[in-house]
Amino acid sequence: MTRLMLGRTLERICKGVLLLCLLHFLIMMILYFDVYSQRFDLFSRFNNGRNGSRNNVSGTGSGHHYYYYNLSRPNATFASYLATGEQLVQSMQPENNQTPSPKPLPPCPENPPGLVGRLLIEFSSQMTMERVQKENPNVTEGGRYTPPDCRPRWKVAIIIPFRHRENHLKYWLHYLHPILRRQKIDYGIYIINQLGEETFNRAKLLNVGYTEALKEAEYDCFIFSDVDLIPMDDRNLYHCYDQPRHFAIAMDKFGFRLPYAGYFGGVSGLSKKQFLKINGFPNEYWGWGGEDDDIYNRITLNGMKVSRPDVRIGRYRMIKHERDKHNEPNPQRFNKIQNTKNTMKKDGISSLTYKVVEVKKYPLYTNISVEIGKPPPRPVKG
């Protein structure tokens, strides 16, 4: 009896030991496969496309393999797995060693959705260049901007004839940079500064701006703007059109009306093709007045028509100021306007002469200081 009980006890002990050995073996096998399954690529052969909860380190799309890595081990990194074998490293390389090309941007909409319409324009608050710069962090050096989310239809150079108007420039930059960004325009801003105190020549400075801007980029559209004019509606889109464009058609100075049918002053725009067709602007209008009418004549004499926005959209506010010194009304302007047909082929971009003294890029604009000469002596009366 004692021997029988002892035999049963030993049998139970042996079975228990065998069960413990089997359990130990199973645990060791589970740990083995969990730790080394990726190295021997066992699980990935049978579980491709599944186990979405694991870390997806590499994956392309349908028809391509997905690789999953267990990075839960202490100090485990993706690099350590790459180091386990050359075959694994090669399996991670894109097919044919080609990197995916970036998706092309869509064209910018003709009517950008971010426009706000009528704007409140005021000049009573103090303006500083530091404030304007903080307001426009996306504008790059030299006053350049390109929409990041679409492909602009025009590459626009905005050209401002300039002398002693620093305070006006702050307001212009304050209002125009946000407007232009909302309009989804690829643009650069060029201040053409006439050095010296000789008689001012607006049209010649605009010719200089056209020439200098093209040295920096392949612009195909040119907006010519006075520094004291601010648009009151951002739906007045600053790009070029099928015909030369007159933007500032309703200034507060004129009671928000077009002063006369042939008026082309303040803010205007021409494509590169249109600009060259009229031989640019006249160089011989020294002092205030006349050059805008000459440009209008050049446009019509070359078979083009001036396009304009709706009068409710083409409104502008002018910064009030005294007339500049050395920019007195040009007494010869009326005679010159009548001779546009005879002078436009020889007086223009083809006959332009000037000297660049300095080009300096500021955060919000490019300043080009130039010497453009002085007016010829006026004929003696009588």
Side-chain angles (χ1 to χ4, degrees), residues 134-234:
K134 289 180 181 179
E135 294 169 344
N136 300 279
N138 296 328
V139 177
T140 59
E141 186 182 48
R144 299 289 297 274
Y145 176 80
T146 301
D149 55 349
C150 62
R151 188 174 67 256
R153 299 174 182 271
W154 294 92
K155 196 174 186 67
V156 182
I158 300 176
I159 298 168
I160 298 177
F162 190 86
R163 187 166 66 180
H164 308 321
R165 294 287 193 91
E166 285 76 12
N167 190 51
H168 294 177
L169 179 60
K170 296 173 188 176
Y171 286 105
W172 193 95
L173 295 169
H174 165 70
Y175 285 113
L176 265 297
H177 270 304
I179 290 174
L180 297 171
R181 293 203 313 274
R182 289 198 298 271
Q183 292 182 357
K184 300 292 184 182
I185 295 173
D186 182 339
Y187 68 89
I189 293 176
Y190 297 88
I191 307 301
I192 313 303
N193 179 40
Q194 180 177 335
L195 295 175
E197 298 300 327
E198 292 291 346
T199 305
F200 195 68
N201 191 325
R202 177 179 180 270
K204 189 171 186 178
L205 291 173
L206 298 180
N207 279 340
V208 172
Y210 168 89
T211 305
E212 291 298 313
L214 283 175
K215 293 179 181 179
E216 291 204 337
E218 291 295 327
Y219 293 108
D220 51 10
C221 177
F222 300 84
I223 307 294
F224 305 97
S225 174
D226 290 345
V227 74
D228 57 359
L229 288 176
I230 310 297
M232 300 177 66
D233 196 310
D234 62 1

Side-chain angles (χ1 to χ4, degrees), residues 20-22 27 63 113 116 118 231 305 326 338 367 374 381:
L20 287 174
C21 291
L22 180 61
I27 293 173
V116 299
R118 189 67 62 86
K305 296 181 180 180
H326 309 291
Q338 295 175 357
N367 186 85
K374 55 186 178 179
K381 292 183 179 180

Side-chain angles (χ1 to χ4, degrees), residues 245-283:
R245 187 75 164 181
H246 183 213
F247 296 94
I249 66 169
M251 289 188 246
D252 58 353
K253 175 183 177 181
F254 301 126
F256 297 111
R257 297 176 182 175
L258 190 68
Y260 53 92
Y263 182 65
F264 198 68
V267 184
S268 58
L270 292 90
S271 68
K272 183 178 180 181
K273 182 179 180 180
Q274 294 163 359
F275 187 87
L276 294 176
K277 189 173 183 179
I278 66 172
N279 192 24
F281 300 154
N283 297 312

Side-chain angles (χ1 to χ4, degrees), residues 345-358:
K345 291 184 179 180
K346 59 183 179 181
D347 176 23
I349 195 68
S350 61
S351 62
L352 177 66
T353 59
Y354 64 95
K355 178 183 178 182
V356 175
V357 176
E358 181 185 46

